[in-house]
């Protein structure tokens, strides 16, 4: 008897991102524009709070749903910043990153054989997560001509109406696309008309540069059918703390917690103390980091225009998604890495809709960005 992966695991290929990271790790003088995490450290006060909690010996489990004091702060923060109203006792679940929350929703709120419409290109975990849960995937490829926004037209043409749920991320990873309130209202109407649950990944909500972020859960008839996911990894630059949260009606949170309490028990205690401090005293740092990203965004978009690379004006997260000048984006990315020591990720790593594009992260210092742009320009010439 030997170990073999289960069929549902064996059917999922390795992450397309990891291959480029592994190649880059073997090289010197690499500038990585491929990593999807902030180049900033977590705010100092949050780190100090984490250390202080350890020194006080606060290393026990918390309540399954997370410390109540943290859930109260999350409720206040979301009400103030995104106009979302959730009860900290019954409608918020603290998770080990937003990714755990999505995994819980897939397993707790859908049955094997159900189907989920996934707006693509998308975060690399959505399709594998659905597959591991035994859920059928309906691809909803967004289009460059729509600036990779989710539209009623692409929902209808991809048969998303046949799905049981819809999952998307806006501001978007990998494209940097955002949705206005009017555009989100069109998606909401489609979901109401076709009785779809919605899993709204809003981890980049605070990194929206040209208009206010609109959560679909604030729109008429949507709160009762939506799970909203957010966390501390992106805007607060706390990726390694692995802390996120889900917000939904009580029956959804209860079902998700049923799995969470057996599989994870509770989110990391030290991270919860850091997050409370972050919400209390680190919002100015979030504002400053967002301003830095916006400056970098404008620089990168300007440089791509100067190089003649077609790139829509991405207005969120910390990604640009230029059109690849070669037919094979994977070959382009590998050649750029080998010859100029700049790492980017081919759009195909993020599923349907990403073909012919490159994900370029500007979550790196401006000096490195300038050098990377110069190397890309030299490579193109």
């Amino acid at each position: 008897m030997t170990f073999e992966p289960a069929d549902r695991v064996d059917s999922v290929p390795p992450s397309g991102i990891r291959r480029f990271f592994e190649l880059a790790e073997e090289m010197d003088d690499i500038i990585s524009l491929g990593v999807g995490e902030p180049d900033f450290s977590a705010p100092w006060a949050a780190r100090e709070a984490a250390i202080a909690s350890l020194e006080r010996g606060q290393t026990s489990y918390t309540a399954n749903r997370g410390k109540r004091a943290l859930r109260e702060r999350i409720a206040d923060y979301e009400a103030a910043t995104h106009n979302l109203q959730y009860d900290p006792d019954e409608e918020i679940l603290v998770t080990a990153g937003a990714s755990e929350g999505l995994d819980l929703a897939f397993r707790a709120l859908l049955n094997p054989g159900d189907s989920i419409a996934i707006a693509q290109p998308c975060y690399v975990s959505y399709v594998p997560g659905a597959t591991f849960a035994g859920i059928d995937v309906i691809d909803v490829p967004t289009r460059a001509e729509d600036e990779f926004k989710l539209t009623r037209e692409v929902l209808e043409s991809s048969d998303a109406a046949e799905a049981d749920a819809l999952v998307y991320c806006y501001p978007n990873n990998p494209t940097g696309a955002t949705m206005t309130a009017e555009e989100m209202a069109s998606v909401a109407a489609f979901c109401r008309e076709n009785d779809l649950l919605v899993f709204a990944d809003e981890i980049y909500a605070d990194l929206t540069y040209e208009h206010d972020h609109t959560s679909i859960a604030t729109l008429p008839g949507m709160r009762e059918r939506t799970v909203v996911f957010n966390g501390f990894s992106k805007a607060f630059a706390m990726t390694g703390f692995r802390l996120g949260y889900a917000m939904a009606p009580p029956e959804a949170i209860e079902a998700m917690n049923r799995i969470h309490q057996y599989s994870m028990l509770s989110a990391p205690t030290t991270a919860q103390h850091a997050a409370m401090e972050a919400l209390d005293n680190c919002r100015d740092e979030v504002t400053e980091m967002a301003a830095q990203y916006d400056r970098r965004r404008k620089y990168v978009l300007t440089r791509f225009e100067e190089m003649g690379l077609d790139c829509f004006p991405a207005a969120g997260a910390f990604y640009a998604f230029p059109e690849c000048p070669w037919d094979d984006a994977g070959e382009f990315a590998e050649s750029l890495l080998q010859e100029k020591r700049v790492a980017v990720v081919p759009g195909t790593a993020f599923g349907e809709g990403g073909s012919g594009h490159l994900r370029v992260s500007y979550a790196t210092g401006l000096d490195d960005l300038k050098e990377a742009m110069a190397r890309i320009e030299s490579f193109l010439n």
Side-chain angles (χ1 to χ4, degrees), residues 31 104 127 133 158 181 209 238 263 290 300 312 331 344 356 368 379:
I31 300 177
L104 293 174
V127 174
S158 58
Y209 308 114
M238 294 171 62
S263 60
V300 167
F312 81 98
E331 183 179 333
V344 299
D368 279 348
F379 180 73

Side-chain angles (χ1 to χ4, degrees), residues 212-277:
D212 291 336
H213 172 75
T214 297
S215 174
I216 199 169
T218 64
L219 300 179
M222 294 307 298
R223 187 184 188 279
E224 58 266 33
R225 66 174 66 248
T226 301
V227 185
V228 178
F229 304 91
N230 209 326
F232 297 87
S233 290
K234 308 302 182 179
F236 286 90
M238 294 171 62
T239 52
F241 284 85
R242 303 311 306 131
L243 201 71
Y245 51 91
M247 301 174 289
E251 60 273 17
I253 293 298
E254 172 60 31
M256 292 166 65
N257 189 47
R258 194 88 54 86
I259 298 176
H260 174 75
Q261 66 188 359
Y262 287 115
S263 60
M264 189 60 65
L265 190 66
S266 61
T269 302
T270 306
Q272 293 190 53
H273 285 280
M276 287 190 289
E277 180 65 23

Side-chain angles (χ1 to χ4, degrees), residues 168-195:
Y168 64 78
C169 175
Y170 284 99
N172 183 259
N173 174 13
T175 66
T178 58
M179 301 273 289
T180 65
E182 183 180 1
E183 291 161 346
M184 193 60 77
S186 177
V187 174
F190 179 89
C191 293
R192 289 193 302 270
E193 292 164 14
N194 294 285
D195 197 24

Side-chain angles (χ1 to χ4, degrees), residues 309-310 321-333 355-358:
L309 285 180
D310 188 17
F321 207 60
E323 187 173 311
C324 182
W326 294 11
D327 290 337
D328 188 329
E331 183 179 333
F332 178 93
S355 178
H357 291 79
L358 303 163

Side-chain angles (χ1 to χ4, degrees), residues 6-311:
D7 290 343
R8 65 185 182 282
V9 175
D10 203 33
S11 67
V12 174
S15 168
I17 296 179
R18 296 313 313 172
R19 177 171 172 272
F20 285 89
F21 289 168
E22 288 165 2
L23 284 171
E25 286 172 359
E26 299 171 1
M27 300 178 182
D28 297 323
D29 191 29
I30 294 293
I31 300 177
S32 178
L33 306 183
V35 179
E37 69 172 330
D39 60 311
F40 300 104
S41 296
W44 181 261
R47 286 180 275 157
E48 286 285 294
I51 294 168
S53 74
L54 292 171
E55 290 176 336
R56 290 192 298 267
Q58 295 174 314
T59 57
S60 302
Y61 298 127
T62 70
N64 294 140
R65 296 182 183 221
K67 292 180 68 66
R68 190 178 193 282
L70 174 56
R71 285 181 278 128
E72 289 176 338
R73 286 166 168 82
I74 290 169
D76 291 343
Y77 179 74
E78 290 291 344
T81 58
H82 305 133
N83 197 31
L84 289 165
Q85 310 292 330
Y86 286 97
D87 180 352
D89 288 322
E90 295 189 339
E91 297 183 319
I92 296 176
L93 174 64
V94 180
T95 57
S99 293
E100 190 217 349
L102 281 153
D103 178 62
L104 293 174
F106 289 164
R107 291 190 286 155
L109 304 176
L110 296 172
N111 291 307
D114 284 351
S115 60
I116 187 165
I118 300 182
Q120 300 203 32
C122 66
Y123 176 50
V124 294
S125 292
Y126 294 167
V127 174
T131 302
F132 296 151
I135 301 165
D136 296 329
V137 171
I138 297 175
D139 295 320
V140 183
T142 57
R143 305 178 300 196
E145 56 264 36
D146 299 325
E147 297 187 347
F148 295 101
K149 298 174 186 289
L150 187 58
T151 67
R152 173 180 281 271
E153 184 179 352
V154 298
L155 286 164
E156 290 175 345
S157 64
S158 58
D159 294 327
E162 303 303 316
D164 297 285
L166 168 69
V167 61
Y168 64 78
C169 175
Y170 284 99
N172 183 259
N173 174 13
T175 66
T178 58
M179 301 273 289
T180 65
E182 183 180 1
E183 291 161 346
M184 193 60 77
S186 177
V187 174
F190 179 89
C191 293
R192 289 193 302 270
E193 292 164 14
N194 294 285
D195 197 24
L196 268 64
L197 300 177
V198 176
F199 300 154
D201 184 349
E202 301 187 4
I203 191 68
Y204 295 98
D206 291 326
L207 302 179
T208 304
Y209 308 114
E210 296 186 359
H211 56 80
D212 291 336
H213 172 75
T214 297
S215 174
I216 199 169
T218 64
L219 300 179
M222 294 307 298
R223 187 184 188 279
E224 58 266 33
R225 66 174 66 248
T226 301
V227 185
V228 178
F229 304 91
N230 209 326
F232 297 87
S233 290
K234 308 302 182 179
F236 286 90
M238 294 171 62
T239 52
F241 284 85
R242 303 311 306 131
L243 201 71
Y245 51 91
M247 301 174 289
E251 60 273 17
I253 293 298
E254 172 60 31
M256 292 166 65
N257 189 47
R258 194 88 54 86
I259 298 176
H260 174 75
Q261 66 188 359
Y262 287 115
S263 60
M264 189 60 65
L265 190 66
S266 61
T269 302
T270 306
Q272 293 190 53
H273 285 280
M276 287 190 289
E277 180 65 23
L279 291 172
D280 283 346
N281 295 309
C282 299
R283 299 190 193 184
D284 287 346
E285 284 94 326
V286 171
T287 301
E288 175 55 29
M289 285 188 281
Q292 293 266 17
Y293 291 137
D294 193 22
R295 284 193 285 272
R296 299 172 188 178
R297 176 183 72 94
K298 292 172 181 175
Y299 171 75
V300 167
L301 292 175
T302 297
R303 290 292 284 121
F304 282 151
E305 184 178 6
E306 292 170 351
M307 295 178 210
L309 285 180
D310 188 17
C311 184

